[in-house]
Amino acid sequence: MNLPLTITQNQLLDILLNISPVRPVFIWGAPGIGKSALVEKFSKEVGLPCVSLLGSQLAPEDIIGIPQIKGETSEFLPPKMIARKEPYVLFLDELNACSQEVQKAFYSLIHERRIGEYHLPNGSIVIGAGNRAQDGAIVKTMSSALINRMFHVQLKADPTEWLTWAYENEIHPWITDYITQRPDHLFSEPPKTEEPYSTPRSWHMLSDALTEFGAGKKELPEETLRMLAYGCISSNHAGMFIAYTKQLSNRHLLSDIIKGEAKWPARPEERDVLYFLAQSFRGQLLHELPANKQKMNQNAQFLTHRAKALIKELSAINYEIAQMVVSAEDNQVLPDWFMVEIVRDLPRLAGN
């Protein structure tokens, strides 16, 4: 499933607080985007224990239980993990990865909050979650009957909200600083090949690895940093992250370049640093230049004036990197009025 609207982490918490007490909610989203962590956070906020079942590892009897003879009849005894006396949050993770038989076992649990004769305690909440078919994860077609029993939302990775969480949870400062500069690198769509890719979870893993290796407290060989980065996140983002670590000694280099107090690094051995700075420069232009030229403030006017000169200087060092700054990359384009000025002043650059 791919819903036409996506929601952020904070919006999801609002939906869970308001809808899940009366209707089961199903959370769609790519692997590593934070679905499980948000459900656990929600359960803590409402003061209920969270019981997680992993759909890909369940058999029907894990839900409906096993029969027991009682007198002249038999009854199903639901699993102890589910059959609780106090209300709780039942989290059905990877629900769309389980077999059709297991999905059937969930029907009455999701719709009527019961398994056989056992009813979930009043105040209990049922939440499901799963990956999308395009994510390359193990997913099975969810029956229309099951889909129709739940309220559906699709979660997206929001860099601002993730950074708030990251600061609260002591994510390595290199990670938070990098994502602050490159928020578009927090998440990348799962690749078609078997290789690491960037998600909030994989950045968390890289943070843990950097902390364990003492990054920031002692100097790490570049080979070690490359091993850690390329083992957690997408190769493109890993290369950019390594370039970022190389210019940590001058954390304000880009702002100094924009102010005219420093120059683009031009030596061949600094090419990866140049690429990182140019990418960050492009990100700043996308963020600070308004779509309407008439709405420019004083800072945007200064940035516009300097940007044209800096792009020209950059093209003299590396034409391809300068072209990357003004290109339509990842469906993100610079304002039309700015591109008109680039075409006027740098026609060869903008014309390719």
Side-chain angles (χ1 to χ4, degrees):
M1 181 178 290
N2 194 15
L3 299 177
L5 297 176
T6 57
I7 62 173
T8 67
Q9 293 91 326
N10 289 344
Q11 289 172 326
L12 174 61
L13 290 174
D14 285 339
I15 286 175
L16 293 179
L17 285 168
N18 290 282
I19 295 179
S20 65
V22 294
R23 293 290 180 183
V25 174
F26 191 92
I27 308 165
W28 297 87
I33 206 169
K35 300 184 294 293
S36 303
L38 284 168
V39 173
E40 291 176 3
K41 180 179 180 180
F42 163 75
S43 65
K44 290 179 181 178
E45 289 190 1
V46 297
L48 294 176
C50 182
V51 176
S52 297
L53 299 180
L54 200 59
S56 58
Q57 299 179 6
L58 293 176
E61 56 269 22
D62 294 325
I63 309 301
I64 62 176
I66 57 175
Q68 182 183 60
I69 297 175
K70 194 171 185 179
E72 296 182 354
T73 61
S74 66
E75 64 178 0
F76 276 86
L77 296 180
K80 182 179 179 181
M81 192 174 190
I82 295 177
R84 298 181 171 222
K85 296 181 179 180
E86 300 297 326
Y88 66 99
V89 174
L90 178 59
F91 179 41
L92 309 174
D93 199 6
E94 296 185 8
L95 178 56
N96 58 337
C98 60
S99 67
Q100 292 293 324
E101 292 302 314
V102 174
Q103 289 186 27
K104 290 178 184 177
F106 279 124
Y107 282 8
S108 60
L109 178 61
I110 290 174
H111 185 54
E112 301 172 338
R113 297 172 185 260
R114 70 173 179 86
I115 305 172
E117 298 180 4
Y118 169 77
H119 289 260
L120 294 179
N122 289 335
S124 294
I125 293 171
V126 179
I127 301 172
N131 303 317
R132 306 161 303 173
Q134 65 263 39
D135 295 324
I138 300 175
V139 296
K140 294 181 173 63
T141 301
M142 190 182 295
S143 71
S144 58
L146 192 55
I147 288 176
N148 198 237
R149 283 168 161 81
M150 293 177 286
F151 179 91
H152 297 267
V153 294
Q154 183 167 310
L155 184 64
K156 66 179 178 181
D158 183 89
T160 301
E161 293 181 7
W162 185 83
L163 282 168
T164 299
W165 172 87
Y167 288 121
E168 293 174 352
N169 289 270
E170 299 181 346
I171 296 299
H172 197 283
W174 288 4
I175 304 292
T176 53
D177 190 41
Y178 180 80
I179 296 299
T180 298
Q181 297 182 52
R182 294 309 310 266
D184 54 316
H185 284 190
L186 176 62
F187 175 78
S188 60
E189 290 293 335
K192 294 187 179 356
T193 55
E194 298 172 333
E195 58 185 277
Y197 63 101
S198 302
T199 66
R201 179 166 60 198
S202 61
W203 282 109
H204 193 174
M205 285 193 297
L206 179 56
S207 169
D208 289 343
L210 291 171
T211 299
E212 292 302 315
F213 273 81
K217 297 180 179 179
K218 63 181 181 181
E219 186 173 350
L220 295 185
E222 182 179 338
E223 182 180 352
T224 300
L225 287 173
R226 294 177 66 85
M227 174 191 68
L228 299 180
Y230 281 91
C232 294
I233 56 178
S234 70
S235 58
N236 177 49
H237 295 173
M240 293 284 287
F241 180 76
I242 296 301
Y244 153 79
T245 64
K246 289 182 179 181
Q247 54 91 41
L248 280 174
S249 58
N250 190 346
R251 296 169 64 90
H252 306 291
L253 181 56
L254 179 58
S255 61
D256 289 342
I257 292 173
I258 293 174
K259 288 186 291 186
E261 298 174 359
K263 295 288 187 181
W264 294 114
R267 296 197 302 268
E269 62 269 24
E270 298 176 309
R271 196 51 41 91
D272 52 353
V273 176
L274 177 67
Y275 186 78
F276 171 76
L277 290 170
Q279 281 273 20
S280 299
F281 180 51
R282 170 180 165 79
Q284 188 167 340
L285 293 176
L286 288 168
H287 182 260
E288 296 189 16
L289 297 185
N292 188 337
K293 186 177 182 180
Q294 307 305 318
K295 295 183 178 180
M296 278 202 302
N297 57 27
Q298 188 173 0
N299 290 336
Q301 289 176 352
F302 175 76
L303 181 60
T304 301
H305 172 72
R306 286 291 297 149
K308 290 182 287 186
L310 289 173
I311 292 172
K312 185 175 182 179
E313 292 173 9
L314 187 59
S315 65
I317 299 172
N318 188 293
Y319 178 79
E320 288 75 18
I321 292 180
Q323 194 175 48
M324 175 272 299
V325 172
V326 299
S327 66
E329 183 182 81
D330 300 329
N331 295 320
Q332 293 182 308
V333 295
L334 294 170
D336 290 341
W337 61 264
F338 180 76
M339 290 305 300
V340 168
E341 297 190 17
I342 292 296
V343 170
R344 184 189 63 206
D345 296 345
L346 303 166
R348 178 171 172 264
L349 182 66
N352 286 275

Short mmCIF file of all heavy atoms in Angstrom, two decimals, residues 1 3 5 7 11-12 14-28 95 110-111 113 126-129 142 145-154:
data_model
loop_
_atom_site.label_atom_id
_atom_site.label_comp_id
_atom_site.label_asym_id
_atom_site.label_seq_id
_atom_site.Cartn_x
_atom_site.Cartn_y
_atom_site.Cartn_z
N MET A 1 0.85 -1.20 0.00
CA MET A 1 0.00 0.00 0.00
C MET A 1 0.88 1.24 0.00
O MET A 1 1.92 1.27 0.65
CB MET A 1 -0.91 0.01 1.24
CG MET A 1 -1.84 1.22 1.30
SD MET A 1 -2.96 1.21 2.72
CE MET A 1 -4.04 -0.14 2.26
N LEU A 3 -0.08 5.15 0.48
CA LEU A 3 -1.12 6.15 0.69
C LEU A 3 -0.72 7.48 0.06
O LEU A 3 0.47 7.81 -0.01
CB LEU A 3 -1.37 6.35 2.18
CG LEU A 3 -1.86 5.11 2.95
CD1 LEU A 3 -1.98 5.43 4.44
CD2 LEU A 3 -3.19 4.63 2.41
N LEU A 5 -1.05 10.40 1.24
CA LEU A 5 -0.58 11.34 2.25
C LEU A 5 0.35 10.62 3.22
O LEU A 5 0.17 9.45 3.53
CB LEU A 5 -1.75 11.95 3.03
CG LEU A 5 -2.74 12.80 2.23
CD1 LEU A 5 -3.88 13.25 3.13
CD2 LEU A 5 -2.04 14.01 1.63
N ILE A 7 2.62 11.11 7.06
CA ILE A 7 2.60 11.86 8.31
C ILE A 7 3.96 11.76 9.00
O ILE A 7 4.73 10.84 8.75
CB ILE A 7 1.50 11.36 9.27
CG1 ILE A 7 1.75 9.89 9.66
CG2 ILE A 7 0.12 11.52 8.63
CD1 ILE A 7 0.81 9.38 10.72
N GLN A 11 2.86 13.69 14.30
CA GLN A 11 1.49 13.51 13.83
C GLN A 11 1.00 12.10 14.12
O GLN A 11 -0.17 11.90 14.46
CB GLN A 11 1.41 13.81 12.33
CG GLN A 11 1.58 15.28 11.99
CD GLN A 11 1.69 15.52 10.49
OE1 GLN A 11 2.24 14.71 9.76
NE2 GLN A 11 1.15 16.64 10.03
N LEU A 12 1.90 11.12 14.00
CA LEU A 12 1.51 9.75 14.30
C LEU A 12 1.13 9.60 15.76
O LEU A 12 0.13 8.94 16.10
CB LEU A 12 2.65 8.78 13.95
CG LEU A 12 2.41 7.32 14.36
CD1 LEU A 12 1.18 6.76 13.66
CD2 LEU A 12 3.64 6.46 14.05
N ASP A 14 -0.13 11.83 17.70
CA ASP A 14 -1.46 12.42 17.86
C ASP A 14 -2.56 11.47 17.39
O ASP A 14 -3.61 11.34 18.03
CB ASP A 14 -1.55 13.74 17.09
CG ASP A 14 -0.81 14.88 17.77
OD1 ASP A 14 -0.57 14.77 19.00
OD2 ASP A 14 -0.48 15.87 17.10
N ILE A 15 -2.32 10.82 16.26
CA ILE A 15 -3.31 9.87 15.73
C ILE A 15 -3.48 8.69 16.68
O ILE A 15 -4.60 8.26 16.96
CB ILE A 15 -2.89 9.41 14.33
CG1 ILE A 15 -3.13 10.53 13.32
CG2 ILE A 15 -3.65 8.15 13.91
CD1 ILE A 15 -2.64 10.22 11.93
N LEU A 16 -2.38 8.18 17.19
CA LEU A 16 -2.47 7.05 18.11
C LEU A 16 -3.22 7.44 19.39
O LEU A 16 -4.02 6.66 19.91
CB LEU A 16 -1.06 6.54 18.45
CG LEU A 16 -0.29 5.88 17.31
CD1 LEU A 16 1.10 5.45 17.78
CD2 LEU A 16 -1.04 4.69 16.73
N LEU A 17 -2.96 8.64 19.88
CA LEU A 17 -3.64 9.10 21.10
C LEU A 17 -5.14 9.25 20.89
O LEU A 17 -5.93 8.97 21.81
CB LEU A 17 -3.03 10.42 21.57
CG LEU A 17 -1.66 10.36 22.24
CD1 LEU A 17 -1.06 11.75 22.38
CD2 LEU A 17 -1.75 9.68 23.60
N ASN A 18 -5.55 9.66 19.71
CA ASN A 18 -6.96 9.97 19.48
C ASN A 18 -7.75 8.85 18.82
O ASN A 18 -8.96 8.73 19.06
CB ASN A 18 -7.08 11.25 18.64
CG ASN A 18 -6.67 12.50 19.40
OD1 ASN A 18 -7.43 13.00 20.22
ND2 ASN A 18 -5.47 12.98 19.16
N ILE A 19 -7.11 8.05 17.99
CA ILE A 19 -7.85 7.05 17.22
C ILE A 19 -7.67 5.63 17.75
O ILE A 19 -8.63 4.86 17.82
CB ILE A 19 -7.45 7.12 15.73
CG1 ILE A 19 -7.89 8.47 15.16
CG2 ILE A 19 -8.06 5.98 14.93
CD1 ILE A 19 -7.53 8.67 13.71
N SER A 20 -6.44 5.27 18.13
CA SER A 20 -6.20 3.87 18.52
C SER A 20 -7.04 3.39 19.71
O SER A 20 -7.31 2.19 19.80
CB SER A 20 -4.71 3.65 18.80
OG SER A 20 -4.27 4.39 19.91
N PRO A 21 -7.48 4.25 20.64
CA PRO A 21 -8.34 3.74 21.72
C PRO A 21 -9.69 3.23 21.22
O PRO A 21 -10.35 2.43 21.91
CB PRO A 21 -8.52 4.96 22.64
CG PRO A 21 -7.31 5.80 22.41
CD PRO A 21 -7.03 5.64 20.94
N VAL A 22 -10.12 3.67 20.03
CA VAL A 22 -11.43 3.25 19.52
C VAL A 22 -11.33 2.41 18.25
O VAL A 22 -12.25 1.64 17.94
CB VAL A 22 -12.35 4.47 19.27
CG1 VAL A 22 -12.69 5.14 20.59
CG2 VAL A 22 -11.70 5.47 18.32
N ARG A 23 -10.26 2.54 17.49
CA ARG A 23 -10.08 1.78 16.26
C ARG A 23 -8.63 1.33 16.13
O ARG A 23 -7.71 2.10 16.41
CB ARG A 23 -10.45 2.62 15.03
CG ARG A 23 -11.92 2.97 14.92
CD ARG A 23 -12.76 1.76 14.59
NE ARG A 23 -14.17 2.09 14.49
CZ ARG A 23 -15.13 1.20 14.26
NH1 ARG A 23 -14.79 -0.07 14.11
NH2 ARG A 23 -16.39 1.57 14.19
N PRO A 24 -8.40 0.09 15.67
CA PRO A 24 -7.01 -0.34 15.43
C PRO A 24 -6.36 0.52 14.34
O PRO A 24 -7.01 0.86 13.35
CB PRO A 24 -7.17 -1.79 14.96
CG PRO A 24 -8.51 -2.21 15.45
CD PRO A 24 -9.36 -0.98 15.41
N VAL A 25 -5.10 0.87 14.55
CA VAL A 25 -4.35 1.69 13.59
C VAL A 25 -3.25 0.84 12.98
O VAL A 25 -2.56 0.10 13.68
CB VAL A 25 -3.74 2.93 14.28
CG1 VAL A 25 -2.84 3.70 13.32
CG2 VAL A 25 -4.83 3.84 14.83
N PHE A 26 -3.09 0.94 11.65
CA PHE A 26 -2.00 0.24 10.97
C PHE A 26 -1.04 1.28 10.41
O PHE A 26 -1.43 2.20 9.69
CB PHE A 26 -2.52 -0.63 9.82
CG PHE A 26 -1.47 -1.56 9.28
CD1 PHE A 26 -1.33 -2.84 9.78
CD2 PHE A 26 -0.60 -1.15 8.27
CE1 PHE A 26 -0.34 -3.70 9.29
CE2 PHE A 26 0.38 -1.98 7.78
CZ PHE A 26 0.51 -3.28 8.29
N ILE A 27 0.25 1.12 10.74
CA ILE A 27 1.29 2.06 10.34
C ILE A 27 2.11 1.47 9.20
O ILE A 27 2.76 0.44 9.36
CB ILE A 27 2.22 2.39 11.52
CG1 ILE A 27 1.42 2.82 12.74
CG2 ILE A 27 3.24 3.46 11.13
CD1 ILE A 27 2.24 2.81 14.03
N TRP A 28 2.06 2.11 8.04
CA TRP A 28 2.88 1.71 6.90
C TRP A 28 4.15 2.55 6.87
O TRP A 28 4.15 3.72 7.22
CB TRP A 28 2.11 1.92 5.60
CG TRP A 28 0.87 1.10 5.47
CD1 TRP A 28 -0.38 1.42 5.91
CD2 TRP A 28 0.75 -0.19 4.85
NE1 TRP A 28 -1.27 0.42 5.61
CE2 TRP A 28 -0.60 -0.59 4.95
CE3 TRP A 28 1.65 -1.05 4.22
CZ2 TRP A 28 -1.07 -1.80 4.45
CZ3 TRP A 28 1.19 -2.25 3.70
CH2 TRP A 28 -0.16 -2.62 3.82
N LEU A 95 2.81 -7.21 10.41
CA LEU A 95 1.54 -7.92 10.25
C LEU A 95 1.32 -8.40 8.83
O LEU A 95 0.78 -9.48 8.60
CB LEU A 95 0.39 -7.01 10.70
CG LEU A 95 -1.04 -7.55 10.57
CD1 LEU A 95 -1.18 -8.87 11.33
CD2 LEU A 95 -2.03 -6.53 11.10
N ILE A 110 -8.51 -8.16 15.93
CA ILE A 110 -8.44 -6.77 15.49
C ILE A 110 -9.83 -6.13 15.47
O ILE A 110 -10.00 -4.98 15.91
CB ILE A 110 -7.78 -6.69 14.10
CG1 ILE A 110 -6.29 -7.04 14.22
CG2 ILE A 110 -7.95 -5.31 13.48
CD1 ILE A 110 -5.57 -7.14 12.90
N HIS A 111 -10.82 -6.86 14.99
CA HIS A 111 -12.15 -6.28 14.82
C HIS A 111 -12.97 -6.27 16.11
O HIS A 111 -13.62 -5.27 16.43
CB HIS A 111 -12.91 -7.05 13.73
CG HIS A 111 -14.24 -6.45 13.40
ND1 HIS A 111 -14.38 -5.13 13.02
CD2 HIS A 111 -15.49 -6.99 13.37
CE1 HIS A 111 -15.65 -4.87 12.79
NE2 HIS A 111 -16.35 -5.99 13.00
N ARG A 113 -11.64 -7.44 19.23
CA ARG A 113 -10.75 -7.45 20.40
C ARG A 113 -10.95 -8.70 21.25
O ARG A 113 -10.98 -8.64 22.48
CB ARG A 113 -10.95 -6.19 21.24
CG ARG A 113 -10.60 -4.90 20.50
CD ARG A 113 -11.00 -3.69 21.31
NE ARG A 113 -10.77 -2.47 20.55
CZ ARG A 113 -9.70 -1.67 20.71
NH1 ARG A 113 -8.79 -1.97 21.59
NH2 ARG A 113 -9.56 -0.59 19.98
N VAL A 126 -4.93 -1.91 20.08
CA VAL A 126 -4.31 -2.77 19.08
C VAL A 126 -3.72 -1.89 17.97
O VAL A 126 -4.42 -1.07 17.38
CB VAL A 126 -5.33 -3.76 18.48
CG1 VAL A 126 -4.65 -4.62 17.41
CG2 VAL A 126 -5.93 -4.64 19.57
N ILE A 127 -2.43 -2.08 17.70
CA ILE A 127 -1.73 -1.32 16.66
C ILE A 127 -0.97 -2.30 15.78
O ILE A 127 -0.30 -3.20 16.28
CB ILE A 127 -0.74 -0.30 17.27
CG1 ILE A 127 -1.48 0.69 18.18
CG2 ILE A 127 0.01 0.45 16.17
CD1 ILE A 127 -0.55 1.61 18.95
N GLY A 128 -1.10 -2.14 14.48
CA GLY A 128 -0.34 -2.95 13.53
C GLY A 128 0.67 -2.11 12.77
O GLY A 128 0.57 -0.88 12.72
N ALA A 129 1.64 -2.76 12.18
CA ALA A 129 2.64 -2.04 11.38
C ALA A 129 3.22 -2.99 10.34
O ALA A 129 3.23 -4.21 10.53
CB ALA A 129 3.75 -1.47 12.27
N MET A 142 -2.10 -8.29 1.95
CA MET A 142 -3.02 -8.28 3.08
C MET A 142 -4.45 -8.36 2.56
O MET A 142 -4.81 -7.66 1.62
CB MET A 142 -2.82 -7.02 3.93
CG MET A 142 -3.56 -7.06 5.26
SD MET A 142 -3.35 -5.53 6.22
CE MET A 142 -1.60 -5.57 6.54
N ALA A 145 -10.39 -7.89 3.76
CA ALA A 145 -11.15 -7.92 5.01
C ALA A 145 -10.33 -7.39 6.17
O ALA A 145 -10.83 -6.67 7.04
CB ALA A 145 -11.61 -9.35 5.31
N LEU A 146 -9.03 -7.72 6.19
CA LEU A 146 -8.16 -7.24 7.26
C LEU A 146 -7.87 -5.76 7.10
O LEU A 146 -7.86 -5.00 8.08
CB LEU A 146 -6.86 -8.05 7.27
CG LEU A 146 -5.95 -7.90 8.49
CD1 LEU A 146 -6.71 -8.20 9.78
CD2 LEU A 146 -4.73 -8.80 8.36
N ILE A 147 -7.61 -5.33 5.86
CA ILE A 147 -7.36 -3.91 5.60
C ILE A 147 -8.54 -3.06 6.05
O ILE A 147 -8.38 -2.01 6.67
CB ILE A 147 -7.08 -3.68 4.10
CG1 ILE A 147 -5.71 -4.24 3.72
CG2 ILE A 147 -7.15 -2.19 3.75
CD1 ILE A 147 -5.38 -4.15 2.24
N ASN A 148 -9.74 -3.55 5.79
CA ASN A 148 -10.94 -2.79 6.09
C ASN A 148 -11.26 -2.71 7.57
O ASN A 148 -12.16 -1.98 7.98
CB ASN A 148 -12.13 -3.41 5.33
CG ASN A 148 -13.30 -2.46 5.24
OD1 ASN A 148 -14.40 -2.77 5.67
ND2 ASN A 148 -13.07 -1.27 4.69
N ARG A 149 -10.51 -3.44 8.38
CA ARG A 149 -10.75 -3.43 9.82
C ARG A 149 -9.88 -2.43 10.56
O ARG A 149 -9.95 -2.33 11.78
CB ARG A 149 -10.51 -4.83 10.40
CG ARG A 149 -11.63 -5.83 10.13
CD ARG A 149 -11.20 -7.25 10.47
NE ARG A 149 -12.33 -8.15 10.66
CZ ARG A 149 -13.02 -8.73 9.69
NH1 ARG A 149 -12.69 -8.47 8.42
NH2 ARG A 149 -14.02 -9.53 9.95
N MET A 150 -9.01 -1.70 9.81
CA MET A 150 -8.05 -0.82 10.48
C MET A 150 -8.01 0.57 9.85
O MET A 150 -8.36 0.74 8.69
CB MET A 150 -6.65 -1.45 10.44
CG MET A 150 -6.52 -2.71 11.26
SD MET A 150 -4.87 -3.46 11.12
CE MET A 150 -4.98 -4.14 9.47
N PHE A 151 -7.55 1.53 10.65
CA PHE A 151 -7.29 2.89 10.19
C PHE A 151 -5.84 2.93 9.73
O PHE A 151 -4.94 2.54 10.48
CB PHE A 151 -7.53 3.89 11.32
CG PHE A 151 -7.27 5.32 10.96
CD1 PHE A 151 -8.28 6.12 10.46
CD2 PHE A 151 -6.00 5.88 11.11
CE1 PHE A 151 -8.05 7.45 10.12
CE2 PHE A 151 -5.76 7.19 10.78
CZ PHE A 151 -6.78 7.99 10.28
N HIS A 152 -5.57 3.43 8.50
CA HIS A 152 -4.23 3.33 7.92
C HIS A 152 -3.53 4.69 7.83
O HIS A 152 -4.14 5.69 7.46
CB HIS A 152 -4.32 2.72 6.52
CG HIS A 152 -4.86 1.32 6.52
ND1 HIS A 152 -4.05 0.22 6.56
CD2 HIS A 152 -6.14 0.86 6.50
CE1 HIS A 152 -4.79 -0.87 6.57
NE2 HIS A 152 -6.07 -0.51 6.53
N VAL A 153 -2.25 4.69 8.17
CA VAL A 153 -1.41 5.88 8.03
C VAL A 153 -0.07 5.45 7.44
O VAL A 153 0.35 4.31 7.58
CB VAL A 153 -1.16 6.59 9.38
CG1 VAL A 153 -2.44 7.17 9.93
CG2 VAL A 153 -0.53 5.64 10.40
N GLN A 154 0.59 6.38 6.76
CA GLN A 154 1.93 6.11 6.22
C GLN A 154 2.92 7.08 6.82
O GLN A 154 2.75 8.30 6.73
CB GLN A 154 1.92 6.23 4.69
CG GLN A 154 3.28 5.89 4.06
CD GLN A 154 3.19 5.70 2.56
OE1 GLN A 154 2.36 4.97 2.06
NE2 GLN A 154 4.05 6.40 1.82
#
